[in-house]
């Protein structure tokens, strides 16, 4: 079992309370940062750690922080993105529910590094009860002198608040999140200007995922170099993986970024294998937006190398034969699942969640949903398959925010790897309503 | 999305809720109190039998010192706001990918049959409404539904039977959007 930096104490009784959290070493990173380090030194440690954004994009956090504009007399803001809505992802919820103080500690240390004196945690509205878990923990942090004026006598001031959404996937996109936090519809903004220059209320703003901010705690405690020793290459540290689908042990796992995918799926430390002794049919390794992989590309790359749970290895082969680590929303499909139905399901999700600003996304997601619906229900034509691929291609890259890409990729990938299953739906409209297709054949050229 | 309830009952926050909304508005810099709108609407919805009528939205606008259209814009964007009357217990079933492959469709169909209603419909006794929603972040505990503040996970037909019985017996805690 690998090292746990975030969830080490997750199972300790009462860890959600201040006393127990503090007894287990909580808030040390705040003491260390505020008393012995300059803000720039904290940023430097995060840069050294190689930490990459854990929300899905994987952008280096230290670099994002160093882009923050620092004009005189203008407030800066740190926003925590707790709008976790990517299908397959439920790790931030787990972290906030179990160890709310870890996020609060990370927010204080990170806010200090960025020179923010007011910070907000934006959490999706459906996690209603967690709003109050966090607010209770924040109250405890204020009462014990970790928030408010002149923290630890250092002269540093910080106020921290929880802000909630009300049901909109798009608010996980950072500029939509900012709009929503301003009390508006969650329509993404055109960039530039980037939030680092003009974000919340037109002030310089950093938006980071829950897990990213939590990871700053062990990075400051142990140093960025220690953190960077874990993992492989540019995939440093640990990552929370939300495992779901047809597996024996669904749940949230903290892994070192070096675990083979095969071990993650079949080891009893993690997913515990496919449920009911079935065979693996496919896997979506990083949340619904990332390309789906057919069984023969899950544990091995197209070159026959072992695939690892790292940013690079999961992307090996590009979109032709790889996928992405994304948010770590790891969805496993057994041989009884229908890929056409699953693709339709995801396309309905994106059609529902498109904010409607950009025509390619607003019209395209609805169009794909309609075509997939008829293919799944036995009314499709052979030309529909190419039509789908064409619509997906025309959405991709042609929208203000990445929701368009997120909607297009799962469709393109499903057709790329499961075309024979789509064709079977057209050729066998009756049979496809009664049973599932089973595994797709591995193309010999790919071996 | 259409707004309804133009002529429905007048609405006002309870005094406790009004105090809370004002406190929420005070969390933001001067002139930025509109940031409290989303939560203010959650509280209004809770105090208006689970939905946002036009009088309720107009009241929120008045309390927050913004125009009604600013409230309508937001209320029509986010899926958690109900723009029509709903039952006392709104059963919001997740229907997205990971829940779907773990049997969400069967559970939703079972519940519809049992209650004799379809999607977005309310039972004649005003107790139950069924909604089908997208991913709620409970994929590892599928299938699931949200009722009020809380999640109900690993659903089975037996659990649905028990849940409905408990609702009828007044034993289900829906939680609250007010400070607790």
């Amino acid at each position: 079992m690998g090292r746990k930096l975030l969830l080490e104490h997750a199972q300790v009784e009462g860890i959600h309370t201040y006393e127990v959290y503090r007894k287990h070493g909580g808030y040390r990173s705040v003491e260390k940062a505020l008393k012995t380090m300059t803000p720039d030194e904290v940023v430097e440690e995060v840069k050294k750690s190689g930490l990459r954004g854990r929300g899905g994009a994987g952008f280096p956090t230290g670099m994002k922080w160093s882009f923050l504009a620092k004009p005189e007399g203008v407030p800066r803001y740190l926003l925590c993105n707790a709008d976790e809505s990517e299908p397959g992802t439920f790790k931030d919820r787990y972290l906030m529910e179990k160890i709310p103080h870890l996020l609060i500690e990370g927010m204080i240390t990170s806010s200090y590094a960025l020179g923010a004196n007011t910070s907000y945690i934006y959490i999706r509205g459906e996690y209603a009860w967690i709003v109050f878990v966090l607010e209770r923990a924040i109250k405890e942090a204020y009462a014990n002198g970790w928030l408010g004026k002149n923290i630890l006598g250092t002269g540093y001031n910080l106020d921290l608040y929880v802000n909630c959404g009300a049901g909109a996937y798009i608010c996980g996109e950072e500029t939509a999140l900012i709009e929503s936090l301003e009390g508006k519809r969650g329509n993404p903004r055109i960039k530039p200007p980037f939030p680092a220059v003009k974000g919340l209320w037109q002030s310089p703003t950093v938006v980071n995922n829950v897990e990213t901010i939590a990871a700053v705690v062990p990075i400051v405690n142990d140093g960025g170099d220690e953190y960077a020793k874990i993992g492989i290459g540019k995939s440093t540290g640990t990552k929370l993986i939300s495992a779901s689908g047809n597996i024996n042990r669904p749940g949230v796992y903290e892994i070192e970024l070096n675990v083979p995918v095969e071990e993650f799926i079949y080891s009893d430390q993690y997913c515990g294998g496919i449920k009911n002794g079935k065979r693996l049919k496919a896997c979506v390794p990083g949340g619904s937006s990332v390309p789906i992989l057919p069984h023969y590309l899950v544990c091995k790359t197209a070159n026959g190398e072992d695939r690892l749970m790292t940013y690079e290895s999961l992307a090996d082969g590009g979109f032709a034969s790889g996928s992405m680590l994304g948010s770590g929303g790891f969805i496993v499909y057994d041989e009884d699942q229908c890929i056409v139905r699953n693709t339709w399901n995801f396309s309905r999700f994106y059609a529902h969640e498109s904010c409607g600003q950009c025509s390619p996304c607003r019209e395209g997601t609805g169009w794909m949903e309609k075509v997939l619906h008829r293919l799944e229900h036995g009314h499709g034509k052979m030309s529909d398959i190419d039509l789908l691929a064409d619509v997906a291609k025309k959405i991709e890259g042609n929208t203000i925010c990445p929701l368009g890409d997120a909607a297009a990729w799962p469709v393109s990938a499903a057709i790329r790897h499961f075309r024979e299953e789509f064709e079977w739906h057209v050729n066998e409209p009756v049979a496809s309503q009664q049973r599932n297709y089973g595994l797709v054949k591995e193309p010999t050229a790919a071996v | 999305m259409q707004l309804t309830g133009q002529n429905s009952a007048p609405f006002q926050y309870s005094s406790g809720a009004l105090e809370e909304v004002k406190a929420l508005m005070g969390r933001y810099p001067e002139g930025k109190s509109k940031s409290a709108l989303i939560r203010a609407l959650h509280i209004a919805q809770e105090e208006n039998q689970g939905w946002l009528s036009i009088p309720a939205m107009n009241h929120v606008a008045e309390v927050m010192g913004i125009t009604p259209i600013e409230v309508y814009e937001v209320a029509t964007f986010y899926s958690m706001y109900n723009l029509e009357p709903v039952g006392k217990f709104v059963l919001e079933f997740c229907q997205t990918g990971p829940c779907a492959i773990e049997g969400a469709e069967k559970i939703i169909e079972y519940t519809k049959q049992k209650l004799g209603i379809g999607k977005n419909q309310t039972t004649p006794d005003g107790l139950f409404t069924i909604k089908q929603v997208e991913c709620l972040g409970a994929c590892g505990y599928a299938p699931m539904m949200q009722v009020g503040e809380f999640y109900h996970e690993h659903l089975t037909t037996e659990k649905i039977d028990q849940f409905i019985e408990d609702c009828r017996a007044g034993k289900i805690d829906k939680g609250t959007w007010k400070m607790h």
Side-chain angles (χ1 to χ4, degrees):
Chain A
M1 196 61 120
R3 282 174 64 185
K4 286 193 170 39
L5 302 180
L6 306 180
L7 300 184
E8 190 186 352
H9 304 301
Q11 300 306 326
V12 172
E13 175 120 14
I15 195 72
H16 63 283
T17 64
Y18 173 74
E19 283 74 28
V20 178
Y21 181 73
R22 177 73 175 142
K23 215 185 288 170
H24 285 82
Y27 289 99
R28 275 188 302 138
S29 77
V30 178
E31 281 176 316
K32 183 173 176 184
L34 268 61
K35 288 186 171 170
T36 71
M37 298 167 82
T38 65
D40 285 346
E41 283 169 349
V42 179
V43 175
E44 206 45 47
E45 289 305 315
V46 173
K47 274 190 184 166
K48 272 196 251 171
S49 74
L51 175 66
R52 294 167 67 173
R54 299 296 195 225
F59 190 80
T61 305
M63 202 186 292
K64 192 172 190 178
W65 284 13
S66 62
F67 291 155
L68 185 67
K70 297 178 175 169
E72 279 294 312
V74 179
R76 305 193 276 275
Y77 295 101
L78 171 63
L79 308 183
C80 171
N81 185 345
D83 191 60
E84 183 171 66
S85 312
E86 173 82 3
T89 316
F90 48 100
K91 65 186 176 76
D92 296 338
R93 163 194 170 185
Y94 184 87
L95 191 151
M96 292 187 286
E97 249 185 311
K98 293 273 181 187
I99 333 173
H101 282 285
L102 180 64
L103 174 59
I104 293 161
E105 178 177 355
M107 285 298 283
I108 301 167
T109 305
S110 306
S111 298
Y112 171 74
L114 297 167
N117 297 112
T118 310
S119 297
Y120 297 94
I121 298 169
Y122 180 96
I123 185 167
R124 66 180 300 183
E126 293 91 338
Y127 287 173
W129 77 100
I130 306 178
V131 172
F132 299 100
V133 170
L134 289 170
E135 286 189 339
R136 262 196 301 272
I138 287 173
K139 213 188 257 179
E140 288 181 310
Y142 269 104
N144 288 281
W146 301 101
L147 283 169
K149 296 249 177 293
N150 193 19
I151 299 167
L152 303 179
T154 60
Y156 176 61
N157 306 327
L158 178 66
D159 284 311
L160 177 61
Y161 301 105
V162 181
N163 212 290
C164 67
Y169 169 73
I170 191 59
C171 292
E173 194 277 338
E174 58 181 12
T175 60
L177 184 151
I178 290 168
E179 286 285 303
S180 184
L181 213 154
E182 291 182 359
K184 303 178 204 154
R185 295 165 79 90
N187 288 337
R189 295 176 180 172
I190 293 171
K191 296 188 261 192
F194 288 91
V197 178
K198 284 188 172 176
L200 181 64
W201 302 310
Q202 298 299 306
S203 289
T205 302
V206 166
V207 184
N208 284 140
N209 171 260
V210 171
E211 186 188 346
T212 311
I213 287 171
V216 171
V217 172
I219 288 168
V220 168
N221 281 338
D222 307 330
D225 289 333
E226 274 305 304
Y227 189 86
K229 281 182 194 162
I230 304 172
I232 296 176
K234 287 186 175 169
S235 297
T236 62
T238 65
K239 172 92 188 78
L240 300 182
I241 304 292
S242 322
S244 69
N246 309 122
I247 48 175
N248 284 313
R249 289 164 41 83
V252 176
Y253 298 98
E254 181 171 8
I255 61 161
E256 293 188 2
L257 284 170
N258 58 15
V259 176
V261 173
E262 185 161 9
E263 182 183 340
F264 187 71
I265 295 178
Y266 292 101
S267 158
D268 285 338
Q269 282 177 17
Y270 306 115
C271 301
I274 313 297
K275 231 166 39 176
N276 303 318
K278 301 263 183 198
R279 290 179 299 171
L280 173 71
K281 175 167 184 172
C283 177
V284 174
S288 61
S289 308
V290 309
I292 190 169
L293 294 174
H295 65 95
Y296 55 88
L297 286 173
V298 175
C299 301
K300 299 269 183 208
T301 65
N303 296 327
E305 289 164 13
D306 284 345
R307 210 186 274 285
L308 307 175
M309 299 286 281
T310 66
Y311 291 97
E312 293 73 25
S313 182
L314 281 167
D316 188 283
F319 277 9
S321 64
S323 183
M324 288 165 78
L325 177 62
S327 64
F330 195 88
I331 312 167
V332 178
Y333 298 84
D334 72 21
E335 57 192 301
D336 291 344
Q337 302 308 326
C338 173
I339 298 302
V340 178
R341 189 166 189 81
N342 180 70
T343 311
W344 165 57
N345 184 299
F346 282 156
S347 73
R348 186 196 58 212
F349 171 84
Y350 291 105
H352 181 262
E353 300 300 338
S354 172
C355 83
Q357 274 194 114
C358 312
S359 321
C361 175
R362 182 187 62 240
E363 303 303 322
T365 53
W367 194 0
M368 291 195 301
E369 194 268 340
K370 228 189 282 176
V371 175
L372 279 157
H373 183 275
R374 67 177 179 244
L375 279 166
E376 163 59 13
H377 292 87
H379 311 298
K381 296 181 295 234
M382 206 50 92
S383 59
D384 281 342
I385 302 170
D386 286 331
L387 173 65
L388 268 180
D390 188 50
V391 174
K393 212 163 122 194
K394 283 173 178 154
I395 299 173
E396 201 181 328
N398 290 320
T399 55
I400 291 176
C401 88
L403 192 143
D405 298 347
W409 293 342
V411 174
S412 314
I415 295 172
R416 189 180 313 125
H417 299 303
F418 297 89
R419 193 173 188 107
E420 62 183 73
E421 188 165 338
F422 281 83
E423 290 173 354
W424 178 72
H425 272 254
V426 176
N427 289 330
E428 303 282 347
V430 179
S432 68
Q433 300 305 297
Q434 292 158 351
R435 63 183 174 89
N436 286 314
Y437 184 74
L439 302 188
V440 287
K441 287 186 290 295
E442 181 173 357
T444 41
V447 178
Chain B
M1 202 80 65
Q2 207 174 345
L3 297 180
T4 55
Q6 178 76 57
N7 302 315
S8 62
F11 173 85
Q12 262 192 327
Y13 280 125
S14 64
S15 58
L18 183 63
E19 210 172 290
E20 188 172 335
V21 169
K22 294 231 161 117
L24 288 169
M25 290 166 66
R27 287 180 172 187
Y28 305 95
E30 212 186 323
K32 310 296 182 196
S33 61
K34 186 178 168 182
S35 286
L37 176 57
I38 289 179
R39 196 141 159 191
L41 283 172
H42 281 302
I43 295 172
Q45 175 159 291
E46 184 180 317
E47 291 208 326
N48 193 52
Q49 285 81 48
W51 73 293
L52 291 173
S53 62
I54 289 177
M57 289 186 275
N58 291 348
H59 178 67
V60 173
E62 196 187 321
V63 167
M64 295 194 63
I66 55 181
T67 59
I69 187 67
E70 290 175 272
V71 179
Y72 305 159
E73 274 181 358
V74 167
T76 52
F77 187 82
Y78 296 92
S79 63
M80 288 178 77
Y81 299 130
N82 299 313
L83 301 176
E84 281 175 12
V86 290
K88 184 172 174 196
F89 298 97
V90 183
L91 280 46
E92 302 183 61
F93 288 96
C94 173
Q95 60 176 353
T96 315
C99 270
I101 64 172
E102 283 290 290
E105 288 165 5
K106 252 185 236 162
I107 289 287
I108 296 169
E109 203 43 50
Y110 177 81
T111 313
K112 284 178 177 169
Q113 294 280 331
K114 186 175 170 84
L115 294 175
I117 51 172
K119 182 167 95 168
N120 299 329
Q121 292 178 348
T122 301
T123 51
D125 61 4
L127 264 189
F128 301 101
T129 299
I130 291 179
K131 273 174 83 173
Q132 289 172 223
V133 299
E134 301 294 350
C135 189
L136 295 182
C139 321
Y141 325 109
M144 65 81 65
M145 65 173 173
Q146 175 165 31
V147 181
E149 192 189 345
F150 302 113
Y151 281 13
H152 302 266
E153 300 170 328
H154 296 296
L155 289 179
T156 58
T157 52
E158 292 78 23
K159 278 195 187 173
I160 289 287
D161 290 345
Q162 186 65 48
F163 181 83
I164 287 171
E165 201 176 297
D166 288 348
C167 284
R168 288 181 172 141
K171 286 197 248 171
I172 291 294
D173 179 10
K174 286 196 298 174
T176 172
W177 269 101
K178 290 171 209 159
M179 202 60 87
H180 54 287

